[in-house]
Coordinates of all heavy atoms in Angstrom, one line a residue:
G78 N -91.4 18.8 -102.5 CA -90.6 20.0 -102.3 C -89.8 20.0 -101.0 O -89.5 18.9 -100.4
I79 N -89.6 21.1 -100.5 CA -88.9 21.3 -99.2 C -89.9 21.6 -98.1 O -89.5 21.8 -96.9 CB -87.8 22.4 -99.3 CG1 -86.8 22.3 -98.2 CG2 -88.5 23.8 -99.3 CD1 -85.9 21.1 -98.4
M80 N -91.2 21.6 -98.4 CA -92.2 22.0 -97.4 C -92.3 21.1 -96.2 O -92.5 21.6 -95.1 CB -93.6 22.1 -98.1 CG -93.6 23.2 -99.2 SD -92.9 24.8 -98.8 CE -94.1 25.3 -97.5
P81 N -92.1 19.8 -96.3 CA -92.1 19.0 -95.1 C -91.0 19.4 -94.1 O -91.2 19.4 -92.9 CB -91.8 17.6 -95.6 CG -92.3 17.6 -97.0 CD -92.0 18.9 -97.5
Y82 N -89.8 19.8 -94.6 CA -88.8 20.3 -93.7 C -89.2 21.7 -93.1 O -88.9 21.9 -91.9 CB -87.5 20.5 -94.6 CG -86.3 21.1 -93.8 CD1 -85.6 20.3 -92.9 CD2 -86.0 22.4 -93.9 CE1 -84.6 20.8 -92.1 CE2 -84.9 23.0 -93.2 CZ -84.2 22.2 -92.3 OH -83.2 22.7 -91.6
I83 N -89.8 22.5 -93.9 CA -90.3 23.8 -93.3 C -91.3 23.5 -92.2 O -91.3 24.1 -91.1 CB -91.0 24.7 -94.4 CG1 -89.9 25.0 -95.5 CG2 -91.5 25.9 -93.8 CD1 -88.8 25.8 -95.0
S84 N -92.2 22.6 -92.4 CA -93.2 22.2 -91.4 C -92.6 21.7 -90.2 O -93.0 22.0 -89.0 CB -94.2 21.2 -92.0 OG -94.9 21.6 -93.1
A85 N -91.6 20.8 -90.3 CA -90.8 20.2 -89.2 C -90.1 21.3 -88.4 O -90.1 21.3 -87.2 CB -89.9 19.2 -89.7
S86 N -89.5 22.3 -89.1 CA -88.8 23.4 -88.5 C -89.8 24.2 -87.6 O -89.4 24.6 -86.5 CB -88.1 24.2 -89.5 OG -87.2 23.5 -90.2
I87 N -91.0 24.5 -88.2 CA -92.0 25.2 -87.4 C -92.4 24.5 -86.2 O -92.5 25.1 -85.1 CB -93.2 25.5 -88.3 CG1 -92.8 26.5 -89.5 CG2 -94.3 26.2 -87.5 CD1 -93.9 26.7 -90.5
V88 N -92.7 23.2 -86.3 CA -93.1 22.4 -85.2 C -92.0 22.4 -84.1 O -92.3 22.6 -82.9 CB -93.4 20.9 -85.6 CG1 -93.7 20.0 -84.4 CG2 -94.7 20.9 -86.5
V89 N -90.8 22.2 -84.5 CA -89.7 22.1 -83.5 C -89.5 23.5 -82.8 O -89.3 23.6 -81.6 CB -88.4 21.7 -84.2 CG1 -87.2 21.9 -83.2 CG2 -88.5 20.2 -84.6
Q90 N -89.7 24.5 -83.6 CA -89.6 25.9 -83.0 C -90.7 26.2 -82.0 O -90.4 26.8 -80.9 CB -89.6 26.9 -84.2 CG -89.1 28.3 -83.8 CD -88.9 29.2 -85.0 OE1 -89.5 29.0 -86.0 NE2 -87.9 30.1 -84.9
L91 N -91.9 25.8 -82.3 CA -93.0 26.0 -81.4 C -92.8 25.1 -80.2 O -93.1 25.5 -79.0 CB -94.3 25.7 -82.1 CG -94.7 26.7 -83.2 CD1 -96.0 26.2 -83.9 CD2 -94.9 28.1 -82.6
M92 N -92.4 23.8 -80.4 CA -92.2 22.9 -79.2 C -91.1 23.5 -78.3 O -91.1 23.2 -77.1 CB -91.8 21.6 -79.7 CG -93.0 20.8 -80.4 SD -92.5 19.2 -81.1 CE -91.9 18.4 -79.6
G93 N -90.1 24.2 -78.9 CA -89.1 24.8 -78.1 C -89.6 25.8 -77.0 O -88.8 26.1 -76.0
I94 N -90.8 26.2 -77.1 CA -91.4 27.1 -76.1 C -91.8 26.4 -74.9 O -91.8 26.8 -73.8 CB -92.6 27.9 -76.7 CG1 -92.1 28.7 -78.0 CG2 -93.1 28.9 -75.7 CD1 -93.3 29.3 -78.7
A95 N -92.3 25.1 -75.1 CA -93.0 24.4 -74.1 C -92.2 23.2 -73.6 O -92.4 22.7 -72.5 CB -94.4 23.9 -74.5
V96 N -91.3 22.6 -74.4 CA -90.6 21.4 -74.1 C -89.3 21.7 -73.4 O -88.4 22.3 -74.0 CB -90.4 20.5 -75.3 CG1 -89.6 19.2 -74.9 CG2 -91.7 20.1 -76.0
P97 N -89.1 21.4 -72.1 CA -87.8 21.7 -71.4 C -86.6 21.2 -72.1 O -85.5 21.9 -72.1 CB -88.0 21.1 -70.0 CG -89.5 20.9 -69.9 CD -90.0 20.7 -71.3
Y98 N -86.6 20.0 -72.7 CA -85.4 19.4 -73.3 C -85.0 20.3 -74.5 O -83.8 20.5 -74.6 CB -85.7 18.0 -73.8 CG -84.6 17.4 -74.6 CD1 -83.4 17.0 -73.9 CD2 -84.7 17.2 -76.0 CE1 -82.4 16.4 -74.6 CE2 -83.6 16.6 -76.7 CZ -82.5 16.2 -76.0 OH -81.5 15.6 -76.7
L99 N -85.9 20.7 -75.3 CA -85.6 21.6 -76.4 C -85.1 23.0 -75.9 O -84.2 23.6 -76.5 CB -86.8 21.8 -77.4 CG -87.2 20.5 -78.1 CD1 -88.4 20.8 -79.0 CD2 -86.0 20.0 -79.0
Q100 N -85.7 23.5 -74.9 CA -85.2 24.7 -74.3 C -83.8 24.6 -73.8 O -83.0 25.5 -74.0 CB -86.1 25.1 -73.1 CG -87.5 25.5 -73.5 CD -88.4 25.8 -72.3 OE1 -88.1 25.5 -71.2 NE2 -89.6 26.4 -72.6
K101 N -83.4 23.5 -73.3 CA -82.0 23.2 -72.8 C -81.1 23.2 -74.0 O -80.0 23.7 -73.9 CB -82.0 21.9 -72.0 CG -80.6 21.5 -71.5 CD -80.6 20.2 -70.8 CE -79.2 19.8 -70.4 NZ -79.2 18.5 -69.7
L102 N -81.5 22.5 -75.1 CA -80.7 22.4 -76.3 C -80.4 23.8 -76.9 O -79.3 24.1 -77.4 CB -81.3 21.5 -77.3 CG -81.4 20.0 -77.0 CD1 -82.0 19.2 -78.1 CD2 -80.0 19.4 -76.7
Q103 N -81.4 24.7 -76.8 CA -81.3 26.0 -77.4 C -80.3 26.8 -76.7 O -79.7 27.8 -77.2 CB -82.7 26.7 -77.3 CG -83.7 26.2 -78.3 CD -85.0 26.8 -78.2 OE1 -85.3 27.5 -77.2 NE2 -85.9 26.6 -79.1
K104 N -80.0 26.5 -75.4 CA -79.0 27.2 -74.6 C -77.6 26.6 -74.7 O -76.7 27.2 -74.1 CB -79.5 27.3 -73.1 CG -80.8 28.0 -72.9 CD -81.3 27.9 -71.5 CE -82.6 28.6 -71.3 NZ -83.1 28.5 -69.9
E105 N -77.4 25.5 -75.4 CA -76.2 24.8 -75.4 C -75.3 25.3 -76.6 O -74.2 24.7 -76.8 CB -76.4 23.3 -75.5 CG -76.9 22.7 -74.2 CD -77.1 21.2 -74.3 OE1 -76.8 20.6 -75.3 OE2 -77.6 20.6 -73.3
G106 N -75.7 26.3 -77.3 CA -74.9 26.8 -78.4 C -74.8 25.9 -79.6 O -75.8 25.3 -80.0
E107 N -73.6 25.8 -80.2 CA -73.5 25.0 -81.4 C -73.9 23.6 -81.3 O -74.5 23.0 -82.2 CB -72.0 25.1 -81.9 CG -71.7 24.5 -83.2 CD -72.5 25.1 -84.4 OE1 -72.9 26.3 -84.2 OE2 -72.7 24.5 -85.4
S108 N -73.5 22.9 -80.2 CA -73.8 21.5 -80.0 C -75.3 21.3 -79.9 O -75.9 20.3 -80.4 CB -73.1 21.0 -78.7 OG -73.5 21.7 -77.6
G109 N -76.0 22.2 -79.2 CA -77.4 22.1 -79.1 C -78.1 22.3 -80.4 O -79.1 21.7 -80.7
R110 N -77.6 23.3 -81.2 CA -78.1 23.5 -82.5 C -78.0 22.3 -83.4 O -79.0 22.0 -84.2 CB -77.4 24.7 -83.1 CG -78.1 25.2 -84.5 CD -77.3 26.4 -85.0 NE -76.0 25.9 -85.5 CZ -75.7 25.3 -86.6 NH1 -76.7 25.1 -87.5 NH2 -74.5 25.0 -87.0
K111 N -76.9 21.6 -83.3 CA -76.8 20.4 -84.1 C -77.8 19.3 -83.7 O -78.4 18.6 -84.6 CB -75.4 19.9 -84.0 CG -74.3 20.7 -84.7 CD -72.9 20.1 -84.5 CE -71.9 20.9 -85.2 NZ -70.5 20.4 -85.1
K112 N -78.0 19.2 -82.5 CA -79.0 18.2 -82.0 C -80.4 18.6 -82.5 O -81.2 17.7 -82.9 CB -79.0 18.1 -80.5 CG -77.7 17.4 -80.0 CD -77.7 17.3 -78.5 CE -76.4 16.7 -77.9 NZ -76.4 16.7 -76.5
I113 N -80.7 19.9 -82.4 CA -82.1 20.4 -82.8 C -82.2 20.1 -84.3 O -83.3 19.7 -84.8 CB -82.2 21.8 -82.5 CG1 -82.3 22.0 -81.0 CG2 -83.5 22.4 -83.2 CD1 -82.4 23.5 -80.5
N114 N -81.2 20.3 -85.1 CA -81.2 20.1 -86.5 C -81.4 18.6 -86.8 O -82.2 18.3 -87.8 CB -79.9 20.5 -87.2 CG -79.8 22.0 -87.3 OD1 -80.8 22.8 -87.2 ND2 -78.6 22.5 -87.5
Q115 N -80.8 17.7 -86.0 CA -81.0 16.3 -86.2 C -82.5 15.9 -85.9 O -83.1 15.1 -86.6 CB -80.1 15.5 -85.3 CG -79.9 14.1 -85.7 CD -79.3 13.9 -87.1 OE1 -78.6 14.7 -87.6 NE2 -79.6 12.8 -87.7
I116 N -83.0 16.5 -84.8 CA -84.4 16.2 -84.5 C -85.3 16.7 -85.6 O -86.3 16.0 -86.0 CB -84.8 16.9 -83.2 CG1 -84.1 16.3 -82.0 CG2 -86.3 16.9 -82.9 CD1 -84.2 17.0 -80.7
T117 N -85.0 17.9 -86.2 CA -85.8 18.4 -87.3 C -85.8 17.5 -88.5 O -86.8 17.3 -89.2 CB -85.3 19.8 -87.7 OG1 -85.3 20.7 -86.5 CG2 -86.2 20.4 -88.8
R118 N -84.6 16.9 -88.8 CA -84.5 16.0 -89.9 C -85.3 14.8 -89.8 O -86.0 14.3 -90.7 CB -83.0 15.6 -90.1 CG -82.1 16.8 -90.6 CD -80.7 16.3 -90.9 NE -79.8 17.4 -91.2 CZ -78.8 17.8 -90.3 NH1 -78.7 17.2 -89.2 NH2 -78.0 18.8 -90.7
W119 N -85.3 14.2 -88.6 CA -86.1 13.0 -88.3 C -87.6 13.3 -88.4 O -88.4 12.5 -89.0 CB -85.7 12.4 -87.0 CG -84.4 11.6 -87.0 CD1 -83.3 12.0 -86.3 CD2 -84.2 10.4 -87.6 NE1 -82.3 11.0 -86.6 CE2 -82.8 10.0 -87.3 CE3 -84.9 9.5 -88.4 CZ2 -82.2 8.9 -87.8 CZ3 -84.3 8.3 -88.9 CH2 -83.0 8.0 -88.6
L120 N -87.9 14.4 -87.9 CA -89.4 14.8 -88.0 C -89.8 15.1 -89.4 O -90.9 14.8 -89.8 CB -89.6 16.1 -87.2 CG -91.1 16.6 -87.1 CD1 -92.0 15.5 -86.5 CD2 -91.1 17.8 -86.2
T121 N -88.8 15.6 -90.3 CA -89.1 15.8 -91.7 C -89.4 14.5 -92.4 O -90.3 14.4 -93.2 CB -87.9 16.4 -92.4 OG1 -87.6 17.7 -91.8 CG2 -88.1 16.6 -93.9
I122 N -88.6 13.4 -92.0 CA -88.9 12.1 -92.6 C -90.2 11.6 -92.2 O -91.0 11.1 -93.0 CB -87.8 11.1 -92.2 CG1 -86.4 11.5 -92.8 CG2 -88.1 9.7 -92.6 CD1 -85.2 10.7 -92.3
A123 N -90.6 11.8 -90.9 CA -91.9 11.3 -90.4 C -93.0 12.0 -91.2 O -94.0 11.4 -91.6 CB -92.0 11.5 -88.9
I124 N -92.9 13.3 -91.4 CA -93.9 14.1 -92.1 C -94.0 13.7 -93.5 O -95.1 13.5 -94.1 CB -93.6 15.6 -92.0 CG1 -93.8 16.1 -90.5 CG2 -94.6 16.4 -92.9 CD1 -93.4 17.6 -90.3
T125 N -92.9 13.4 -94.1 CA -92.9 13.0 -95.6 C -93.5 11.6 -95.7 O -94.3 11.4 -96.7 CB -91.4 13.0 -96.1 OG1 -90.8 14.2 -95.8 CG2 -91.4 12.8 -97.6
L126 N -93.3 10.7 -94.8 CA -93.9 9.4 -94.8 C -95.4 9.5 -94.7 O -96.2 8.6 -95.1 CB -93.3 8.5 -93.7 CG -91.9 8.1 -94.0 CD1 -91.4 7.3 -92.8 CD2 -91.7 7.3 -95.2
V127 N -95.9 10.5 -94.1 CA -97.4 10.7 -94.0 C -97.9 11.4 -95.3 O -99.0 11.0 -95.8 CB -97.7 11.6 -92.7 CG1 -99.2 11.9 -92.7 CG2 -97.4 10.8 -91.5
Q128 N -97.2 12.4 -95.7 CA -97.7 13.2 -96.9 C -97.5 12.4 -98.2 O -98.3 12.6 -99.1 CB -96.9 14.5 -97.0 CG -97.2 15.5 -95.9 CD -96.5 16.8 -96.1 OE1 -95.6 17.0 -96.9 NE2 -96.9 17.8 -95.3
G129 N -96.5 11.5 -98.3 CA -96.2 10.8 -99.5 C -97.4 9.9 -99.9 O -97.9 10.0 -101.1
P130 N -97.9 9.0 -99.0 CA -99.1 8.3 -99.4 C -100.3 9.1 -99.8 O -101.1 8.8 -100.7 CB -99.4 7.4 -98.2 CG -98.1 7.3 -97.4 CD -97.4 8.6 -97.7
G131 N -100.5 10.3 -99.1 CA -101.6 11.2 -99.5 C -101.4 11.7 -100.9 O -102.4 11.9 -101.6
Y132 N -100.1 12.0 -101.3 CA -99.9 12.5 -102.7 C -100.2 11.4 -103.7 O -100.8 11.7 -104.7 CB -98.4 13.0 -102.8 CG -98.1 13.5 -104.1 CD1 -98.5 14.8 -104.6 CD2 -97.3 12.7 -105.0 CE1 -98.2 15.2 -105.8 CE2 -97.0 13.2 -106.3 CZ -97.5 14.5 -106.7 OH -97.2 15.0 -107.9
I133 N -99.8 10.2 -103.4 CA -100.0 9.1 -104.3 C -101.5 8.8 -104.4 O -102.0 8.6 -105.6 CB -99.3 7.8 -103.8 CG1 -97.8 8.0 -103.8 CG2 -99.6 6.6 -104.8 CD1 -97.2 8.4 -105.0
Y134 N -102.3 8.9 -103.3 CA -103.7 8.8 -103.4 C -104.3 9.8 -104.2 O -105.3 9.6 -105.0 CB -104.3 8.8 -102.0 CG -105.8 8.8 -101.9 CD1 -106.5 7.7 -102.1 CD2 -106.5 10.0 -101.7 CE1 -107.9 7.7 -102.1 CE2 -107.9 10.1 -101.7 CZ -108.6 8.9 -101.8 OH -110.0 8.9 -101.8
N135 N -103.8 11.1 -104.1 CA -104.4 12.2 -105.0 C -104.1 11.9 -106.5 O -104.9 12.2 -107.3 CB -103.7 13.5 -104.6 CG -104.2 14.6 -105.4 OD1 -105.3 15.0 -105.4 ND2 -103.3 15.2 -106.2
L136 N -102.9 11.3 -106.8 CA -102.6 10.9 -108.2 C -103.7 9.9 -108.7 O -104.2 10.0 -109.8 CB -101.2 10.4 -108.3 CG -100.1 11.3 -108.0 CD1 -98.7 10.6 -108.2 CD2 -100.1 12.5 -109.0
Y137 N -104.0 8.9 -107.9 CA -104.9 7.9 -108.3 C -106.3 8.5 -108.5 O -107.1 8.1 -109.4 CB -105.0 6.8 -107.2 CG -104.0 5.7 -107.4 CD1 -103.1 5.5 -106.3 CD2 -103.8 5.0 -108.5 CE1 -102.1 4.5 -106.4 CE2 -102.8 4.0 -108.7 CZ -102.0 3.8 -107.6 OH -101.0 2.8 -107.7

Side-chain angles (χ1 to χ4, degrees):
I79 201 67
M80 298 312 293
Y82 177 76
I83 300 297
S84 302
S86 299
I87 293 173
V88 171
V89 171
Q90 197 168 27
L91 292 177
M92 289 176 61
I94 305 173
V96 180
Y98 176 70
L99 292 178
Q100 292 176 347
K101 180 182 176 182
L102 291 180
Q103 289 174 347
K104 299 177 181 178
E105 292 181 359
E107 183 65 20
S108 61
R110 187 181 67 83
K111 290 182 178 179
K112 292 179 181 179
I113 291 176
N114 287 342
Q115 196 64 25
I116 293 173
T117 304
R118 294 188 186 104
W119 284 110
L120 183 58
T121 300
I122 295 176
I124 292 175
T125 310
L126 290 175
V127 173
Q128 292 183 350
Y132 180 75
I133 300 302
Y134 173 78
N135 179 66
L136 292 181
Y137 279 122

